[in-house]
């Protein structure tokens, strides 16, 4: 009984698909005609935001802007290591009171360094996001301009796969450099 039901369901499925396939093929052909009429392009915005010469120059300038703060924190870390090593060496010769005072000093310095590192990371991330946002706005302006000049109907920014012929990312990158 079970085999009969399974075979019957498969038969109905085959008949349904057999009837639907010509309609699907016709719809697909119709879609191709519409796509040929429409001008569709692809812009890889993420690549522009990370790999374009302008993005790399912005990243380098931001790194240079934050370099002094980073060096200051590295100096504090070095001082922290030195104090910690010195405490380790001097521990047998120190009284409990001196050991406690130095330990507190090291703990305070360690908390300050961690706080400074967190603030630096937060400021750096905020600055990068500001510049990325400005650059994204500029990219959108360029895309809108190209869209009107070249009669583009649809601009895709994310695709799984596309033909290289419809990719205008390099054109947008050239406009971005001007």
């Amino acid at each position: 009984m079970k085999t009969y039901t399974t075979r019957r369901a498969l038969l109905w499925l085959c008949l349904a698909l057999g009837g639907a396939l010509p309609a699907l093929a016709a719809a697909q052909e119709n879609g191709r005609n519409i796509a040929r009429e429409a001008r569709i392009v692809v812009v890889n915005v993420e690549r522009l935001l990370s790999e374009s010469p302008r993005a790399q120059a912005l990243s380098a300038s931001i790194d240079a802007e934050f370099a002094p703060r980073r060096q200051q924190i590295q100096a504090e870390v070095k001082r922290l290591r030195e104090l910690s090593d010195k405490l380790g060496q001097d521990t047998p010769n120190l009284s409990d009171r001196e050991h406690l005072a130095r330990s507190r000093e090291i703990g305070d310095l360690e908390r300050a360094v961690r706080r400074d590192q967190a603030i630096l990371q937060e400021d750096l991330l905020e600055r990068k996001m500001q510049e990325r946002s400005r650059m994204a706005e500029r990219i959108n302006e360029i895309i809108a301009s190209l869209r009107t000049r070249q009669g583009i109907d649809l601009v895709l920014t994310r695709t799984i796969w596309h033909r290289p012929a419809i990719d205008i990312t390099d054109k947008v990158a050239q406009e971005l450099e001007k």
Side-chain angles (χ1 to χ4, degrees):
M1 184 74 170
K2 191 173 189 180
T3 344
Y4 174 73
T5 309
T6 307
R7 285 185 187 163
R8 190 172 180 184
L10 280 173
L11 178 64
W12 279 107
L13 180 63
C14 289
L15 287 174
L17 284 176
L21 284 177
L24 287 173
Q28 186 177 11
E29 188 61 36
N30 242 356
R32 283 188 186 144
N33 290 337
I34 291 171
R36 285 187 189 124
E37 294 171 8
R39 175 108 159 93
I40 300 171
V41 296
V42 174
V43 177
N44 189 338
V45 175
E46 204 52 46
R47 191 178 97 201
L48 290 171
L49 290 172
S50 61
E51 298 175 10
S52 70
R54 184 173 188 128
Q56 291 174 352
L58 281 172
S59 180
S61 71
I62 291 171
D63 287 341
E65 179 183 327
F66 283 86
R69 286 176 60 185
R70 198 175 279 130
Q71 290 171 353
Q72 180 184 8
I73 290 173
Q74 288 172 350
E76 290 175 356
V77 168
K78 183 179 177 185
R79 181 171 168 246
L80 178 64
R81 280 192 205 125
E82 290 170 354
L83 288 174
S84 182
D85 290 345
K86 181 131 175 77
L87 177 65
Q89 293 171 356
D90 294 345
T91 296
N93 303 330
L94 294 175
S95 69
D96 289 341
R97 205 171 206 189
E98 290 175 14
H99 186 270
L100 184 62
R102 284 192 187 181
S103 294
R104 283 185 182 161
E105 180 185 356
I106 290 171
D108 291 344
L109 183 59
E110 184 176 0
R111 280 188 294 280
V113 167
R114 285 186 183 166
R115 183 181 58 246
D116 290 346
Q117 286 174 333
I119 291 170
L120 175 70
Q121 284 302 105
E122 188 177 308
D123 291 349
L124 181 63
L125 181 62
E126 182 180 340
R127 181 81 166 90
K128 283 184 178 183
M129 293 317 264
Q130 286 174 347
E131 290 302 323
R132 187 176 170 101
S133 176
R134 282 189 197 131
M135 195 167 159
E137 287 175 14
R138 177 71 179 124
I139 289 170
N140 285 333
E141 290 170 3
I142 292 169
I143 291 171
S145 165
L146 285 174
R147 202 181 105 242
T148 56
R149 281 187 292 175
Q150 296 182 358
I152 298 169
D153 297 313
L154 179 64
V155 178
L156 301 173
T157 57
R158 293 184 184 169
T159 61
I160 295 173
W161 180 88
H162 61 272
R163 288 186 334 208
I166 65 171
D167 191 339
I168 63 166
T169 304
D170 293 333
K171 286 183 183 179
V172 175
Q174 289 172 355
E175 290 285 324
L176 189 61
E177 295 307 311
K178 290 181 181 177

